[in-house]
């Protein structure tokens, strides 16, 4: 058996180099995805040395998109989607129209025809699924109103691109108007048929299948069933109904979200989802031809301006026009200020049909890479611009001006599943509590005369000082990330050396880590379950 195949070589080169360059980028305080893109450039056809198989890389990246959209569907119910339709549908359509107009304008300046300009602008109008969702997840925004609007906006964009992928070949062939209307009608019918199938059949079959497998008691079989549902529904949607893999996976996850096993399903797919998402960024880097930077610097700068500034301003204006607050508008505009996988598909389709010159494709790819690199920085900039105003407005809205810090209170960091239960217990016990939460627009934040909410990140800003930690008697750190929790423990111990620090962990190694950082007590699920079982066993013994 040969020791090297294109598939193995592509996976190994992509993962290893992504790890190495990602670690270097993190060390230099750059986003890790910068390293992933550099890894793709290193194994691409435009740099010397080993060249990975671009076709295989694209297919592997597509699996990552499927799993990522499946995970989003698990956290985004049909009720949530319908709740944001009034802003997501018109907002996405208007923003696409603005981006297409700006792209067509640039194409006219470059001497391209109207058809080329429309194709070029369309490729610049749609945001990357992977980048947007990664940004939402890193900032814990998916469960907020802003996150739901952004994801709903993205789904509408994906639906428009599905229609575009069907209509563009028909337009290129120059068919009659009646044929174009027939093609559009067939496409809409296929998407509608898929949605109806998932709501009528999928809603019954998918949860039943997962529950049946769960009752077998096999974790491996359960994990395999989740992957089979995600990949199988996505592939079936593309083959039978002509919709995108991403859209099919999203609806599969959304249907499965109605099952009590949805949280477990999300956890089981997380490692594989992250690995294939990395391969997506590597595949993007492989497409980049650095020569375009020298050959067409003005055109590249204008392309990046349209993606990062033009689209952002359009989205900002649209969201504000719908009466949403400034923080929501800033978050959505930043999340959409990049392009990705659909843009690459459209660029390839355009060149294959002679609707787009090679330099147009290179500008799209270069603009995508630059916008992806700038996107995290744009979020940081927006956070700095809006932090003071948003904090003051939010603190006033949730009662910070009413409940003042006082000695002996309890500080709670994080209001997820564990944090919410801790908060409920403290409120029931009539304890004075200060909650530190990064996302103030969560609908489930506690309220009451003895509750104070501080908006901020306990690691990155002065949230601990605003929570008056120096005069607190206890801090409960309920966030799930042990590394981040360790940083909070260190900061808390430095501010108040005498305070009791209670933290959560997921295993003995994390317990040791948090204890070494200064935690007074650390608990993890398995140990607490075992302790309660022992207590029950000894009752009456």
């Amino acid at each position: 058996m040969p020791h090297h195949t294109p598939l193995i070589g592509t996976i190994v080169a992509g993962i290893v180099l992504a790890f190495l360059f990602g670690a270097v980028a993190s060390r230099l305080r750059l986003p890790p995805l910068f390293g992933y893109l550099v890894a793709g450039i290193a194994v691409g056809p435009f740099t010397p040395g080993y060249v990975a198989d671009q076709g295989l890389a694209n297919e592997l990246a597509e699996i990552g998109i499927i799993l990522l959209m499946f995970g989003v569907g698990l956290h985004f119910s049909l009720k949530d989607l319908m709740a944001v339709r009034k802003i997501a549908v018109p907002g996405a359509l208007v923003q696409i129209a603005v981006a297409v107009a700006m792209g067509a304008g640039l194409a006219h300046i470059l001497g391209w025809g109207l058809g080329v300009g429309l194709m070029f602008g369309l490729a610049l109008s749609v945001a990357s699924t992977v980048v947007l969702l990664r940004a939402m997840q890193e900032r814990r925004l998916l469960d907020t109103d802003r996150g739901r609007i952004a994801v709903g906006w993205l789904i509408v964009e994906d639906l428009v691109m599905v229609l575009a992928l069907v209509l563009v070949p028909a337009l290129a062939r120059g068919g009659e108007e009646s044929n174009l209307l027939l093609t559009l009608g067939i496409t809409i019918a296929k998407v509608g048929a898929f949605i109806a199938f998932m709501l009528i059949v999928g809603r019954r079959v998918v949860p039943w299948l997962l529950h049946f497998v769960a009752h077998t008691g096999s974790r491996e079989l359960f994990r395999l069933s989740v992957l089979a549902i995600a990949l199988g529904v996505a592939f079936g949607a593309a083959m039978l109904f002509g919709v995108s893999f991403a859209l099919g996976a999203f609806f599969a996850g959304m249907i499965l979200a109605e099952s009590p096993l949805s949280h477990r399903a999300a956890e089981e797919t997380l490692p594989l989802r992250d690995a294939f998402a990395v391969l997506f960024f590597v595949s993007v880097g492989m497409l980049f031809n650095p020569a375009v930077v020298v050959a067409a610097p003005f055109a590249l700068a204008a392309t990046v301006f349209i993606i990062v500034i033009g689209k952002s301003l359009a989205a900002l204006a649209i969201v504000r026009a719908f009466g949403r607050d400034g923080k929501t508008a800033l978050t959505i505009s930043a999340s959409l200020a990049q392009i990705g996988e659909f843009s690459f598909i459209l660029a390839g389709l355009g060149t294959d049909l002679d609707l787009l010159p090679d330099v147009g494709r290179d500008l799209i790819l270069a603009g995508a890479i630059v916008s992806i690199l700038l996107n995290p920085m744009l979020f940081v900039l927006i956070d700095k611009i809006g932090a003071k105003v948003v904090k003051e407005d939010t603190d006033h809205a949730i009662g910070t001006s009413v409940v003042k810090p006082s000695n002996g209170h309890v500080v709670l960091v994080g209001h997820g599943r564990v944090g919410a239960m801790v908060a409920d217990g403290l409120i029931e016990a009539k304890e004075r509590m200060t909650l530190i939460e990064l996302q103030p627009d969560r609908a489930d934040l506690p309220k009451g005369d003895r509750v104070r909410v501080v908006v901020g990140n306990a690691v990155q800003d002065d949230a601990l000082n605003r929570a008056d930690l120096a005069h607190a008697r206890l801090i409960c750190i309920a966030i799930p990330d042990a590394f981040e929790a360790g940083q909070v423990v260190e900061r808390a111990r430095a501010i108040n050396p005498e305070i009791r620090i209670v933290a959560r962990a997921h295993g003995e190694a994390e317990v040791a880590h948090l204890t070494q950082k200064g935690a007074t007590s650390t608990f993890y699920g398995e140990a607490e379950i075992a302790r309660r079982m022992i207590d029950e066993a000894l009752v009456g013994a």
Side-chain angles (χ1 to χ4, degrees):
M1 180 178 178
H3 294 286
H4 168 75
T5 65
L7 177 60
I8 294 176
T10 299
I11 294 176
V12 171
I15 294 293
V16 172
L17 288 179
F19 163 69
L20 294 175
F21 286 116
V24 171
S26 180
R27 184 70 175 176
L28 296 175
R29 297 185 181 276
L30 294 170
L33 71 85
F34 177 83
Y36 307 156
L37 293 169
V38 173
I41 295 173
V43 298
F46 304 105
T47 54
Y50 174 76
V51 178
D53 189 306
Q54 180 69 65
L56 287 174
N58 290 341
E59 293 189 27
L60 292 170
E62 195 70 49
I63 296 177
I65 296 171
I66 290 173
L67 296 177
L68 192 63
M69 286 301 292
F70 179 71
V72 174
L74 285 171
H75 295 90
F76 196 87
S77 67
L78 181 61
K79 180 180 178 181
D80 295 331
L81 184 58
M82 297 304 292
V84 300
R85 70 186 186 281
K86 293 182 179 179
I87 182 174
V89 175
L93 294 177
V94 172
Q95 189 234 312
I96 289 173
V98 171
V100 170
M102 290 189 291
L106 175 59
H108 178 72
I109 295 174
L110 296 175
W112 301 342
L114 179 60
V116 175
L118 293 176
M119 190 71 183
F120 183 70
L122 192 63
L124 301 184
S125 68
V126 58
S128 166
T129 300
V130 175
V131 175
L132 187 149
L133 297 178
R134 179 68 64 89
M136 293 289 107
Q137 289 172 340
E138 286 179 351
R139 291 161 182 82
R140 303 182 191 134
L141 291 172
L142 280 179
D143 293 329
T144 67
D145 186 51
R146 288 171 287 159
R148 296 187 187 99
I149 292 173
V151 175
W153 197 301
L154 180 69
I155 296 302
V156 176
E157 287 189 347
D158 284 353
L159 286 171
V160 173
M161 293 307 119
V162 170
L163 293 175
L165 291 175
V166 176
L167 291 177
V168 165
L171 290 170
R173 290 191 295 267
E176 298 179 358
E177 182 178 351
S178 58
N179 292 334
L180 291 178
L181 293 176
L182 179 61
T183 302
L184 178 60
I186 292 174
T187 301
I188 295 175
K190 285 182 177 180
V191 173
F194 168 70
I195 295 175
F197 177 81
M198 290 302 297
L199 294 178
I200 298 173
V201 180
R203 178 175 279 179
R204 293 171 173 79
V205 174
V206 172
W208 172 84
L209 177 62
L210 205 63
H211 279 264
F212 173 79
V213 175
H215 282 102
T216 66
S218 172
R219 183 174 182 179
E220 293 82 1
L221 197 57
F222 180 83
R223 184 184 298 118
L224 187 61
S225 69
V226 174
L227 294 175
I229 291 171
L231 298 174
V233 171
F235 185 79
M239 294 299 102
L240 300 178
F241 297 95
V243 304
S244 68
F245 288 136
L247 190 64
F250 172 80
F251 271 95
M254 195 167 68
I255 294 300
L256 190 56
E258 300 177 7
S259 167
L261 297 169
S262 59
H263 288 295
R264 183 181 170 189
E267 293 173 357
E268 293 292 347
T269 59
L270 183 61
L272 201 61
R273 186 166 72 227
D274 288 344
F276 279 100
V278 168
L279 289 176
F280 162 74
F281 290 112
V282 172
S283 71
V284 174
M286 291 175 63
L287 296 170
F288 180 56
N289 183 1
V292 73
V293 178
V294 179
F298 165 76
L300 176 58
T303 301
V304 173
F305 179 86
I306 291 172
I307 298 169
V308 177
I309 306 298
K311 286 176 57 181
S312 292
L313 292 178
L316 182 69
I318 293 167
V319 176
R320 291 294 285 168
F322 276 88
R324 301 288 176 153
D325 59 80
K327 187 170 186 178
T328 298
L330 287 171
T331 301
I332 293 174
S333 62
S335 65
L336 298 170
Q338 37 76 23
I339 60 175
E341 54 276 4
F342 265 118
S343 302
F344 309 144
I345 296 172
L346 287 170
L349 181 63
T351 52
D352 291 342
L353 297 174
D354 293 326
L355 291 177
L356 193 67
D358 290 343
V359 66
R361 179 198 60 198
D362 292 339
L363 287 175
I364 292 171
L365 298 180
I369 290 177
V370 174
S371 67
I372 289 172
L373 290 178
L374 293 178
N375 198 248
M377 304 175 194
L378 190 61
F379 268 104
V380 172
L381 179 62
I382 285 176
D383 288 342
K384 289 183 178 180
I385 292 174
K388 183 176 180 180
V389 175
V390 171
K391 177 178 74 65
E392 291 175 353
D393 291 346
T394 308
D395 284 352
H396 179 74
I398 57 184
T400 301
S401 58
V402 176
V403 184
K404 300 296 183 183
S406 55
N407 294 351
H409 62 287
V410 177
V411 175
L412 173 62
V413 179
H415 196 258
R417 284 184 294 171
V418 173
M421 289 188 285
V422 174
D424 291 343
L426 292 173
I427 292 172
E428 185 177 350
K430 301 188 183 305
E431 289 281 352
R432 286 177 286 108
M433 177 185 69
T434 298
L435 170 65
I436 300 177
E437 173 56 43
L438 187 61
Q439 306 305 335
D441 51 354
R442 293 180 63 105
D444 58 347
L445 289 182
K447 297 178 178 62
D449 295 338
R450 305 177 71 82
V451 177
R452 177 172 177 259
V453 179
V454 171
V455 179
N457 189 322
V459 175
Q460 297 176 351
D461 61 16
D462 63 342
L464 291 176
N465 290 325
R466 287 190 281 122
D468 195 27
L469 188 71
H471 299 101
R473 67 177 179 85
L474 171 70
I475 178 171
C476 297
I477 304 172
I479 54 179
D481 189 304
F483 177 76
E484 186 176 343
Q487 293 178 293
V488 178
V489 169
E490 283 188 317
R491 293 200 61 192
R493 186 60 71 198
I495 294 172
N496 187 344
E498 304 301 322
I499 194 171
R500 286 180 58 216
I501 301 176
V502 179
R504 62 176 289 196
H506 294 93
E508 294 181 358
E510 292 186 3
V511 170
H513 169 71
L514 294 171
T515 301
Q516 188 270 330
K517 292 292 184 181
T520 309
S521 303
T522 305
F523 305 99
Y524 69 98
E526 289 82 355
E528 294 308 305
I529 292 172
R531 187 175 294 115
R532 290 296 301 272
M533 286 183 171
I534 293 172
D535 291 342
E536 290 295 323
L538 296 179
V539 172

